[in-house]
Amino acid sequence: GGKDAINTKIINFNNEKMQITWTTREPFHNENVSFFYTFGEGKHKVWKTCTTYLLDQDYNSGCLFKTEGPTLAISIRNSNGSEELFSKELKTDFYIKPSPPENVTFFWKEDTVTVSCNEPKRNARCLKLELQYKSKFDKEWQSRNTTCCSVREQGFDPSKCYSLRVRLNRLVPHCNVVNYSSDWEAETFWMNGTLLDSCDDDDDDATPQSKTVIVLTCSLAVLLMMLILPILLCKWQRVQMSVLPAIPDPKHPLAELFNDHNGNLQEWLDKNDHVLLQTKLEYEEPESITEAESQQEDGKNSEKPGSLEKNFTFPGAAENNDGKSAEIACLIPASDTTAPFAGFHILMNDDMYVML
């Protein structure tokens, strides 16, 4: 309880600047407070008023000032400074937050990397250099700590891309009462001892074997497509021809009509009358020959023995001696009799008849 119960955070930035922050509302009941500090010792202290306040929702929540000695006394008072609400004395060296390492170098030899940085001018013995690294296949950072200011780590895969970063840590409790570390130095990307812009832009983590597999797979896919594509084209042409058959262009059979007569059909017909007549005769001559041959065969067949034609009249027609009965008759051929008709010989049986 009392004045020492207020929660404060003290940071000494590389023994150059002090930052003191405190909670604002609970201990001070939303009252805006003022801050005083001094690096002097003894009864005759010279208090200085904070000139650079840190704000939290328009309330003073901290002060930033220059580090001027190893011993610091602070005092938080009400808004006009007449009443002290909190006070504390401390050693500034116990709250040091180191600066990031300077002039960081990376030396690669096969699967081993050595990281070095400049040694700080003060209290280097209180610092450790931390190296963190990971590849794209690692979910978490791997860490390595050594005394300032060089760290060596081995076991890196030359075919993988690694992200590396370093920082300085303050030793606790020998040098600090609070575990403060510096900010991380800029992250760098390495592969087989070569500095890269990023591990994400290039597929650097792919092994040579996987690259070979990818190339072979792509080549086989291309060859397979080259084999399948002609087959698909042939199939498509067949389907297209069956669904949408090609319409012949009359220009080619009638090239003379369009080229020599400019499409004048009458002029073309007048010029080609003899051709059409000759074509007609060529088609008619075989038909005349066929008819003559047919008539000759009919004559021969009528002279051959065994050609039987039997006329049967209806019984009623014979009794009445009607003139119409002579015109209407039923030809009933014998079983398996051949009957000639219009130059053709028809094989007839008992179930057939011809009406004349």
Side-chain angles (χ1 to χ4, degrees):
K3 297 180 180 180
D4 294 335
I6 296 175
N7 184 23
T8 59
K9 184 177 182 180
I10 303 166
I11 303 176
N12 183 5
F13 290 102
N14 201 35
N15 212 20
E16 296 174 358
K17 282 188 175 183
M18 297 293 302
Q19 177 179 293
I20 312 295
T21 57
W22 58 86
T23 55
T24 56
R25 298 187 177 184
E26 293 181 2
F28 305 124
H29 305 288
N30 293 330
E31 181 182 357
N32 208 0
V33 298
S34 57
F35 180 83
F36 296 86
Y37 67 95
T38 181
F39 287 94
E41 296 182 5
K43 295 181 180 180
H44 304 286
K45 298 179 180 179
V46 180
W47 293 95
K48 296 181 179 181
T49 305
C50 179
T51 58
T52 306
Y53 278 103
L54 304 177
L55 301 179
D56 180 14
Q57 299 182 2
D58 297 330
Y59 288 93
N60 295 336
S61 62
C63 183
L64 186 65
F65 53 94
K66 183 180 180 180
T67 303
E68 299 176 359
T71 304
L72 173 66
I74 61 175
S75 175
I76 299 176
R77 305 175 186 179
N78 58 4
S79 57
N80 58 17
S82 60
E83 180 185 358
E84 187 176 79
L85 304 176
F86 174 78
S87 64
K88 186 174 183 178
E89 292 186 0
L90 53 97
K91 294 291 184 180
T92 58
D93 290 344
F94 290 161
Y95 299 89
I96 292 178
K97 177 180 175 67
S99 297
E102 298 179 353
N103 194 22
V104 179
T105 58
F106 297 85
F107 176 73
W108 289 82
K109 185 177 181 180
E110 296 178 354
D111 66 339
T112 304
V113 61
T114 302
V115 185
S116 304
C117 66
N118 290 347
E119 184 175 330
K121 297 179 180 179
R122 298 178 56 184
N123 299 324
R125 59 181 181 82
C126 289
L127 298 173
K128 279 191 173 184
L129 181 63
E130 181 181 4
L131 167 67
Q132 283 193 347
Y133 59 92
K134 69 174 181 178
S135 69
K136 289 177 65 174
F137 301 109
D138 298 326
K139 295 181 178 179
E140 298 180 354
W141 290 92
Q142 307 295 323
S143 295
R144 174 77 171 173
N145 283 281
T146 60
T147 56
C148 188
C149 288
S150 179
V151 58
R152 182 174 178 270
E153 183 68 5
Q154 60 184 6
F156 291 93
D157 189 346
S159 63
K160 293 182 180 180
C161 181
Y162 290 90
S163 304
L164 283 81
R165 62 182 184 180
V166 292
R167 68 178 178 181
L168 291 172
N169 297 322
R170 184 84 171 175
L171 296 178
V172 178
H174 305 289
C175 300
N176 262 33
V177 294
V178 182
N179 187 12
Y180 283 148
S181 301
S182 71
D183 295 333
W184 290 102
E185 181 64 13
E187 186 176 348
T188 55
F189 307 94
W190 298 82
M191 180 178 177
N192 196 22
T194 303
L195 181 63
L196 304 175
D197 294 334
S198 174
C199 286
D200 296 330
D201 295 340
D202 302 322
D203 193 13
D204 297 316
D205 291 334
T207 61
Q209 292 82 0
S210 62
K211 291 182 179 179
T212 304
V213 171
I214 293 173
V215 172
L216 291 176
T217 303
C218 294
S219 302
L220 291 175
V222 171
L223 291 175
L224 186 60
M225 287 298 297
M226 292 176 65
L227 293 175
I228 294 177
L229 188 59
I231 299 175
L232 293 178
L233 289 175
C234 293
K235 293 289 185 182
W236 170 247
Q237 290 178 355
R238 291 182 181 178
V239 172
Q240 189 176 17
M241 291 178 64
S242 61
V243 176
L244 299 173
I247 300 175
D249 190 354
K251 228 173 179 184
H252 300 290
L254 304 176
E256 185 178 353
L257 172 63
F258 291 98
N259 295 335
D260 299 340
H261 302 280
N262 296 324
N264 191 332
L265 180 61
Q266 186 61 43
E267 181 181 340
W268 179 76
L269 291 174
D270 294 341
K271 184 179 179 181
N272 294 276
D273 280 344
H274 64 285
V275 179
L276 296 175
L277 180 59
Q278 183 178 356
T279 305
K280 183 177 180 181
L281 292 174
E282 290 177 356
Y283 280 97
E284 288 179 352
E285 287 177 358
E287 294 179 357
S288 301
I289 295 172
T290 304
E291 290 182 2
E293 292 179 354
S294 300
Q295 293 176 0
Q296 292 178 3
E297 290 181 359
D298 292 340
K300 291 179 181 180
N301 292 330
S302 61
E303 295 175 358
K304 289 181 180 179
S307 298
L308 300 176
E309 292 184 3
K310 296 182 179 180
N311 292 331
F312 296 90
T313 59
F314 292 99
E319 294 175 357
N320 296 329
N321 294 320
D322 193 357
K324 293 183 179 179
S325 62
E327 297 178 358
I328 301 174
C330 179
L331 178 62
I332 304 177
S335 178
D336 295 334
T337 302
T338 302
F341 178 76
F344 298 93
H345 297 276
I346 303 174
L347 182 64
M348 308 183 70
N349 53 27
D350 295 339
D351 297 330
M352 298 180 67
Y353 67 92
V354 177
M355 183 72 68
L356 299 179

